[in-house]
Amino acid sequence: MILTCPNCATRYEADAAKFQPSGRKVRCAKCAHSWHQPAPIVAPEHKQEHEQEREDVAAPTPPPVPVESAPAPVQGAAPSVLPAGPTGLPPPPAAVAALNRWRIGALAGWGVLFAVVALVGFVLIEARTEIAALWPKTATAYRAVGLDVNTVGLEFREVSYRVTTEDDQPVLHLKGRIHNFTKQELAVPQIHAALTDDARRELYDWKIDPMVRNLKPGASTIFSARLASPPAGARHVDLKFVKG
């Protein structure tokens, strides 16, 4: 017998002998529509002939199966359930473009952050003298990382000394320049001079008054001193500014 789906008209071959007198429920393999199929009516006189025809079939086609299983369509019928789709499909172009924009933005953000950190570090190192002058406690932090900090803002340059003899006595002549390397005017303190031996032990010290009281940014002033009869073991002259 031939079954026809009332929903999509797909046709199936079925064995009428497997139907109960009351019929049975079947489902279309193509559209998944279910319906109740009545049993075919076979005349008694043709029953034997029908049985003989069924025996002569070499390879009967599978009948429609109950709702619990999917029947096979006659020719080219689609499967009862379409696959959900292959996995691993590429994302849509819009999603790819959005992801690329996010990556570019993230890289740009990290680049800006790195540049800001590098700039801050450069300023902290190059302007450490000015920073330490404003906040003296930062000098300790700079020294802890191995950076020397001049909290005065002044430095000695071109320092030289020589020993001469006057009235049979040695005389030490000391001279040099004081330079203001900051961007602000600074007061010039007294200079503490010390004579030390080879082991840097202090043998003698005295103070030198500067020739000016203040130095403008980038300006310099000279200083000089004369010391009669310096200690015989003196080998070095150490200079530093007297803290007010």
Side-chain angles (χ1 to χ4, degrees):
M1 61 179 293
I2 300 297
L3 300 183
T4 302
C5 174
N7 184 56
C8 65
T10 301
R11 302 179 65 202
Y12 301 88
E13 285 187 346
D15 187 354
K18 293 187 177 182
F19 278 73
Q20 301 291 334
S22 59
R24 71 189 301 176
K25 192 173 184 180
V26 295
R27 184 179 66 186
C28 178
K30 181 177 182 180
C31 66
H33 176 70
S34 300
W35 74 93
H36 180 79
Q37 177 66 44
I41 301 175
V42 181
E45 57 271 20
H46 298 297
K47 183 175 181 181
Q48 184 175 1
E49 181 182 353
H50 178 74
E51 292 289 327
Q52 182 64 36
E53 290 179 355
R54 194 161 55 86
E55 291 176 0
D56 294 340
V57 177
T61 56
V65 297
V67 176
E68 292 78 13
S69 60
V74 176
Q75 291 181 354
S80 60
V81 180
L82 291 175
T87 59
L89 286 176
V96 174
L99 179 60
N100 290 336
R101 287 194 299 270
W102 179 86
R103 288 174 175 171
I104 293 173
L107 291 175
W110 280 109
V112 172
L113 178 60
F114 177 79
V116 170
V117 172
L119 178 61
V120 171
F122 176 80
V123 172
L124 289 176
I125 294 175
E126 291 299 315
R128 61 184 182 273
T129 299
E130 289 81 358
I131 295 173
L134 295 174
W135 297 286
K137 290 184 178 180
T138 59
T140 303
Y142 280 115
R143 293 190 184 98
V145 296
L147 293 175
D148 187 25
V149 181
N150 184 337
T151 57
V152 179
L154 303 172
E155 63 183 2
F156 298 107
R157 293 184 176 181
E158 302 173 11
V159 177
S160 64
Y161 58 89
R162 62 190 179 88
V163 178
T164 63
T165 301
E166 297 180 8
D167 300 330
D168 297 329
Q169 295 291 330
V171 177
L172 173 67
H173 300 271
L174 175 66
K175 65 178 182 179
R177 289 194 305 120
I178 301 172
H179 178 71
N180 178 2
F181 58 86
T182 70
K183 296 181 180 180
Q184 58 185 347
E185 185 173 344
L186 297 175
V188 182
Q190 283 186 313
I191 302 171
H192 177 270
L195 300 179
T196 59
D197 59 13
D198 289 331
R200 291 289 180 176
R201 290 188 295 263
E202 187 174 300
L203 303 177
Y204 183 81
D205 71 302
W206 77 103
K207 291 181 176 60
I208 304 171
D209 292 324
M211 294 184 177
V212 297
R213 292 183 177 272
N214 297 285
L215 271 180
K216 294 185 178 298
S220 298
T221 183
I222 61 174
F223 70 92
S224 63
R226 178 177 179 276
L227 178 65
S229 301
R235 294 294 182 270
H236 306 282
V237 179
D238 296 332
L239 302 176
K240 62 182 180 180
F241 293 103
V242 178
K243 293 183 180 180

